[in-house]
Every structure is written in C-alpha cells, then in structure tokens.
Amino acid sequence: MKIAIGIHLVTPGPLLRRDEVKQFADLVKMAEDYGAEAIGTYDSSFIGGDATARATIIALASTKARVGLRPTNPITREPQVMASFLASLDSLTEGRAFMDIATGDSAVLNIGYRIATRARIESYVNCIRELLANGEAMYENRPQRIRWQANVPRTRIPISICAEGPKMLHLGGRIGDGVIAGTGLLPEVISDTVARIESGALDAGRSPDAVDIWFTTRTALHDDREKAWEHAKASVSSILNHSMRQTLDGKLVPDELRDRIREYVDGYVLYDHVVSGGENPRRMDALGLTDYAMRRFALAGNANDWIARIEELGSYRATKLWLNAEGGKIDRQMHYMRILGEQIMRRFV
C-alpha cells in the first residue's frame, strides 16, 4: 500500500541558532531522502521564531519535496506580503512551494484578534491568486498591488484549506487546491470528511479529483507505547480544543462526551498551548477525554503500532498523511527521523 507522507518540522528551540542551521538542513535532507513528498513548518510567532526563516532553510536544503507554511492565517500576514513570500519560495525551490491556510490559533489569539471567518479566508486566497496571476487584486475593500508579477515562476501556487468542521471542509472542496483535514482518524470521521469535501467540489462545479485530500495527525514514536502516548498528549490537547471550539454539530462526537468536551473547550488555557505536562493535557485527563482524543487524533506508539495504524487508515481512504516531527534537540529529532524513515516510511512510500 502506497501512502504519501508529509513531514512537519520544528526547530530545536523557539529560535534557531546559527550553529544549528546545518543540522536542521541535514534533518530536512533526511526527511526527503526517506521519501517525504512535502516538508512544512508552522507559522506562529507565539510558539517561536519566524516561519519564513525556517521555510527558507527547508527550501535551500531540499531538492524534491514540496516546501511551505502549514498553516498560515489571513490575520497576521497581509496578502501582498504572503504573495511575495510564496513567489520567493517558489523561485528558490524551482516550483515546489505550497501554502496551507487556517483560521488562526495561537498566533492570532495571543495578540488579541479573533480567528478568521470563512469569508475572509476565501477572500484572502482569491487575492493571493489574483496577485500572482495578474499583479493586482482587492482585499477587504483595499487595493493590493505588486510590480514583480511578470517574474513569478508559477502564476498559481497550490493553496490548501485546513479544515476541522463541516463548513470548512465544504469551503476546502469548493476553493482549495487541497484540503488538510484535522477532523480525526476514526473510520466514520474519515468517510464523512471525504464526503463533505467532495460535496463542496461538486457544488462549485469542480471534479472531486481536483482536490488533494490530506489528513493531519498528532504523532509520537517511542519503543515504549505509554511514553509515546504521554509525548503526544500536549499536541492532542490542542487539536481537541481548536477542532471543537466553534461547535460540536456535525463533528460525530459521541453524545456521552459532548458536555465534557464543551467544558474542556470553555476552560482551555491558551498560554499553555502545546505545553507538555501543562494545564490542558491535565484537564483532558481529569475530564476523561484522553483516550477518545488520542484514538481520534493521534498516531502514537512504537513502530509496529504505527505500521498497523497506517495500514488501517489507508483502507479507510486516508492515503495522504501529515506527520509531526519529534521535538527537542536536533540529535533527538534525527534519531526519531531515522526510525520513522527506515522502519515506517520506506514501507509505504
């Protein structure tokens, strides 16, 4: 069974030091050599550093994989600025740039803004496409112009919509070059996700095959299964929050968990976002939500656990997966990537 794999990379600390750049570039090369089809990095200045700096290093270190931000948002970056970055990244990679866009989470909420509406995301995506294609566009009733459009390597760079709810899935099917689904990895959720994306495509008069569907996961790989679960819990606690924070309707949540999930979302501690051992995973435990959240959103365990789960996901039509790289020091990340590549990726790519 062939599974397409994208690798989401983080730096060893919030700010990448000069002496770590070569090691980070070597990590990129490892991911690519093991068959990663795409390599991306987060765009949240709250969590650490600037995404464009990391993406530039990834671009220069790679030769085959697609490279991009995953995700960015329409609040913290003007479309003219983003179009300029995307065109520059596309030039550096000779046509391998991409962009994933979402409503915004830690980068947006920690500067006092509200997350983006679906209408704003659609307007933002259309604006970037028009800038790259024509050099002029309108956004929020303001003109956006560039004078370097004639030099762009591609007039359309793939933009995928990150979606965790029914309406965003439909939007992704309607306007996205792809959809990055954060809805979960349970069979009934995968089936519902694909159906909603395909419905959006058909409503826009598009072929569903025109939409590249990927599923995102929260991952931890360790010989000790219990330690892997512990390592994944902070990340899972974040996706449980932002996938459920607007509404539970249409998200296939078991009735007996709805009240507890609402309580969890209402009390989510934003400053502890993805903090290992922080308040959010502790509350997730206290409310009895951890087992469900891990089954729905995580790929965690030893290599054999991963292989069995990936094979299961492939049988449910989830054949394109984004995997998070292990965090921490570079040598730890390289150890993780070596196990992931040699024992797992080479089996599927």
Side-chain angles (χ1 to χ4, degrees):
M1 179 185 299
K2 179 174 173 55
I3 302 291
I5 292 177
I7 298 294
H8 180 92
L9 288 182
V10 298
T11 50
L15 300 176
L16 188 65
R17 302 194 313 265
R18 185 179 180 87
D19 63 324
E20 295 171 329
V21 170
K22 183 182 183 302
Q23 288 181 309
F24 186 67
D26 288 342
L27 186 63
V28 171
K29 293 173 185 175
M30 284 182 69
E32 189 174 65
D33 288 345
Y34 285 129
E37 291 194 10
I39 303 174
T41 191
Y42 63 91
D43 186 13
S44 173
S45 52
F46 168 74
I47 295 175
D50 183 64
T52 61
R54 291 192 304 275
T56 299
I57 296 170
I58 296 170
L60 295 174
S62 62
T63 59
K64 297 173 290 187
R66 297 185 298 118
V67 178
L69 301 181
R70 61 170 317 271
T72 188
N73 68 82
I75 307 297
T76 58
R77 297 189 188 273
E78 278 287 302
Q80 183 206 60
V81 174
M82 181 54 69
S84 177
F85 168 69
L86 282 178
S88 297
L89 192 67
D90 213 38
S91 181
L92 283 175
T93 58
E94 298 179 309
R96 292 183 285 117
F98 72 87
M99 183 185 85
D100 296 349
I101 187 165
T103 58
D105 194 44
S106 62
V108 171
L109 297 174
N110 279 294
I111 57 174
Y113 283 102
R114 294 173 181 254
I115 61 174
T117 63
R118 293 186 304 280
R120 185 161 185 175
I121 288 176
E122 183 169 3
S123 176
Y124 187 88
V125 169
N126 289 337
C127 181
I128 288 178
R129 286 174 174 164
E130 289 178 22
L131 284 172
L132 293 174
N134 305 310
E136 294 186 3
M138 292 293 294
Y139 178 69
E140 304 274 287
N141 296 316
R142 294 180 284 111
Q144 302 271 319
R145 300 188 184 94
I146 56 175
R147 63 180 185 185
W148 41 262
Q149 185 276 331
N151 298 308
V152 300
R154 291 185 293 174
T155 57
R156 183 165 174 131
I157 293 172
I159 299 175
S160 293
I161 309 300
C162 296
E164 295 170 341
K167 293 178 181 178
M168 281 293 285
L169 292 169
H170 189 274
L171 176 67
R174 191 161 58 79
I175 72 166
D177 297 303
V179 173
I180 311 299
T183 47
L185 305 174
L186 301 177
E188 66 274 18
V189 172
I190 292 170
S191 178
D192 181 75
T193 295
V194 172
R196 291 181 186 277
I197 294 169
E198 291 180 344
S199 175
L202 291 171
D203 285 351
R206 309 172 67 199
S207 167
D209 293 337
V211 186
D212 198 21
I213 303 176
W214 289 69
F215 285 82
T216 189
T217 68
R218 296 297 187 267
T219 59
L221 178 59
H222 198 285
D223 289 339
D224 186 324
R225 186 177 300 154
E226 291 186 6
K227 287 184 178 179
W229 270 53
E230 283 300 315
H231 291 167
K233 278 167 61 174
S235 184
V236 168
S237 72
S238 74
I239 195 170
L240 178 63
N241 170 63
H242 57 70
S243 67
M244 304 294 175
R245 64 189 173 193
Q246 298 300 305
T247 179
L248 301 186
D249 294 342
K251 296 183 179 177
L252 304 183
V253 173
D255 289 342
E256 66 272 18
L257 297 181
R258 290 174 71 93
D259 288 344
R260 280 182 275 166
I261 289 177
R262 288 193 188 97
E263 182 179 348
Y264 173 77
V265 168
D266 289 345
Y268 189 79
V269 181
L270 186 61
Y271 193 76
D272 263 13
H273 185 69
V274 294
V275 172
S276 182
E279 181 67 19
N280 297 314
R282 288 199 297 268
R283 290 186 63 252
M284 190 170 68
D285 279 342
L287 288 166
L289 296 172
T290 298
D291 284 350
Y292 173 74
M294 291 290 291
R295 283 190 296 105
R296 179 160 181 166
F297 296 111
L299 182 55
N302 58 42
N304 289 331
D305 294 328
W306 277 52
I307 290 167
R309 188 77 192 281
I310 291 172
E311 289 176 343
E312 180 184 36
L313 294 174
S315 71
Y316 301 144
R317 294 182 66 186
T319 57
K320 297 181 178 182
L321 302 175
W322 271 105
L323 308 179
N324 286 4
E326 192 85 3
K329 295 181 179 179
I330 285 285
D331 57 353
R332 176 183 170 186
Q333 293 191 48
M334 286 186 165
H335 175 71
Y336 165 90
M337 187 61 68
R338 194 169 291 112
I339 296 173
L340 175 60
E342 293 179 2
Q343 297 186 32
I344 300 170
M345 289 175 65
R346 283 184 172 162
R347 187 183 182 99
F348 294 105
V349 300

